[in-house]
Amino acid sequence: MTLISKDINKASELLKQEELVSIPTETVYGLAGNIFSEKAIHRIFEMKKRPLYNPLIVHIHAMEQLEELSSHIPEKAKLLADAFWPGELTLVLPKDVKIPDLITANKPTVALRMPRHQLVQDLLKQIDFPIAAPSANPFGCISPTNAKRVKDYFDGDLKMVLDGGDCTSGIESTIVGFNGEKAILYRLGSISKKQIEAVIGPIAELTKSEKTPNAPGMLLKHYSPRTKTILTEDVSSILDKNPNKRIGIICLTSDLESSNSIEIEELSKSSDLNEAAKNLYEVMHRLDHLNLDLIIAKKLPNEGIGKAINDRLERASAD
Ligand code: TXA
Ligand code: MG
């Protein structure tokens, strides 16, 4: 049985014993282990069934660790860290030799993030090593935004989920990497491109062909329900093409009504995109547990965090 608890002492004991603990962050729950324990890190890959070529994010709690763990910090990285840490930002930087190659999948760079969630900050202060944590879902599946979903995925295999309640942002961190001093947006996330650009000016995005080798988490099919999912601008036409089916609909707001065969999930009754991001994964989990024939997701306004939500829905619906 996996323990769900707020006991930080217990969580830090387990981490010190090279065990894994699921941690809450403001984005999604992570599956965490000591970056210096080969045993713990192997276990992360094994438990998630994650390929070894996909590197992990290292979580820290103090600015000094940025200098300790990377060999060069571009000026723009400093500006971004000052603006968004602690928070929903991950920086990919040239790595210090201390970082084990297993964490970075033999890449010369390391992904660093300082989460804001109070429980994980307190936890990190109690241990004297950074923790590596991918999202706490089996590879390719929907990320968890509460302790129960983590337990559902790993019950029995995982000793503990540190319960920090519902994640307040709800989608993964925004990842920024560098080519020399030039910043590149690797993954859209809780912080919008516009917010990043307000701090460092225009930022390039990865082209489609660059995405896979640089950020394997950007794999086309990802964040996926088991139920077949279609992303569309036009829900009615997909409904018309699928008579007599049990269907779930994900949308920002809806003027349709739920019925016996149609389950409607509104991401935000007040059309608030931040609220929609917070609710997205839980809504996907809920619909996926209803054994429906089909999930239809309606594209959100492609602005601000709506872009990151559409990105997740696109991957969830990829073949
Ligand atoms: O919000 C988040 O970022 C959550 C919480 C738990 O911190 N974590 C998360 O981790 O989303 P994960 O492993 O699911 O996604 C990390 C992404 C992957 O796409 C991985 O390929 C990319 O970061 N990544 C990690 N290290 C990298 C590196 N050195 N270069 C390029 N991409 C890297
Ligand atoms: Mg993930």
Side-chain angles (χ1 to χ4, degrees):
M1 279 279 280
T2 301
L3 172 72
I4 295 184
S5 153
K6 294 188 193 307
D7 185 349
I8 300 183
N9 296 329
K10 169 97 185 158
S12 70
E13 270 324 300
L14 285 168
L15 288 167
K16 286 176 193 163
Q17 291 159 10
E18 302 184 77
E19 298 283 349
L20 304 188
V21 171
S22 176
I23 52 158
T25 82
E26 61 279 11
T27 57
V28 299
Y29 275 69
L31 186 61
N34 177 350
I35 67 163
F36 299 118
S37 161
E38 210 172 297
K39 178 186 156 202
I41 301 308
H42 271 297
R43 189 85 178 105
I44 291 178
F45 282 99
E46 183 186 67
M47 209 181 276
K48 263 186 79 88
K49 300 197 171 60
R50 178 175 176 122
L52 285 168
Y53 63 72
N54 195 349
L56 306 176
I57 298 177
V58 172
H59 294 69
I60 59 175
H61 70 277
M63 277 297 178
E64 303 88 78
Q65 291 174 294
L66 175 60
E67 271 152 50
E68 266 165 44
L69 301 175
S70 56
S71 62
H72 171 69
I73 310 167
E75 202 48 46
K76 285 180 179 165
K78 284 185 197 144
L79 291 173
L80 289 173
D82 283 339
F84 297 111
W85 278 0
E88 302 90 334
L89 172 76
T90 296
L91 294 170
V92 175
L93 302 173
K95 83 183 193 77
D96 186 88
V97 286
K98 282 200 252 341
I99 306 272
D101 291 329
L102 191 56
I103 302 281
T104 61
N106 292 313
K107 283 173 185 290
T109 51
V110 61
L112 297 172
R113 174 169 175 230
M114 188 193 293
R116 184 175 59 238
H117 197 293
Q118 195 60 50
L119 269 190
V120 80
Q121 287 233 352
D122 293 347
L123 175 69
L124 282 165
K125 283 176 197 152
Q126 280 197 19
I127 52 184
D128 57 2
F129 48 84
I131 51 183
S135 52
N137 49 283
F139 189 63
C141 296
I142 308 166
S143 303
T145 52
N146 57 56
K148 180 181 176 298
R149 293 296 177 199
V150 179
K151 183 176 161 108
D152 287 350
Y153 275 143
F154 301 113
D155 205 9
D157 285 345
L158 177 66
K159 293 232 159 90
M160 176 177 178
V161 185
L162 183 62
D163 187 1
D166 293 337
C167 300
T168 51
S169 297
I171 55 177
E172 289 81 356
S173 60
T174 299
I175 304 183
V176 176
F178 293 86
N179 186 350
E181 298 296 310
K182 183 175 171 247
I184 302 162
L185 187 58
Y186 280 2
R187 178 174 75 182
L188 287 170
S190 284
I191 297 173
S192 70
K193 185 176 175 186
K194 219 171 153 184
Q195 286 172 287
I196 299 281
E197 290 185 327
V199 177
I200 58 166
I203 184 170
E205 286 184 47
L206 287 181
T207 61
K208 274 234 156 69
S209 62
E210 284 169 329
K211 272 182 184 168
T212 309
N214 282 311
M218 296 304 282
L219 289 174
L220 192 53
K221 187 159 181 68
H222 211 81
Y223 314 105
S224 299
R226 287 158 305 173
T227 315
K228 181 182 159 62
T229 301
I230 295 176
L231 177 64
T232 179
E233 311 256 3
D234 183 2
V235 174
S236 322
S237 82
I238 307 287
L239 280 175
D240 291 344
K241 285 183 199 140
N242 291 277
N244 310 320
K245 288 211 174 130
R246 293 187 58 239
I247 294 178
I249 296 177
I250 300 176
C251 54
L252 187 57
T253 56
S254 168
D255 39 25
L256 297 167
E257 292 211 348
S258 291
S259 67
N260 279 344
S261 59
I262 298 181
E263 190 70 38
I264 297 173
E265 289 277 7
E266 290 183 315
L267 293 173
S268 168
K269 288 199 191 310
S270 57
S271 298
D272 174 343
L273 291 176
N274 289 314
E275 186 184 18
K278 178 176 190 287
N279 290 331
L280 177 70
Y281 288 141
E282 188 52 25
V283 157
M284 285 166 67
H285 276 289
R286 230 161 29 223
L287 289 180
D288 204 24
H289 279 77
L290 296 178
N291 289 316
L292 300 164
D293 300 312
L294 179 67
I295 294 173
I296 306 174
K298 180 165 193 234
K299 252 198 175 160
L300 272 69
N302 216 30
E303 62 196 38
I305 198 173
K307 264 185 138 172
I309 300 174
N310 285 335
D311 168 85
R312 301 305 189 270
L313 289 171
E314 235 161 71
R315 289 169 210 286
S317 60
D319 282 326

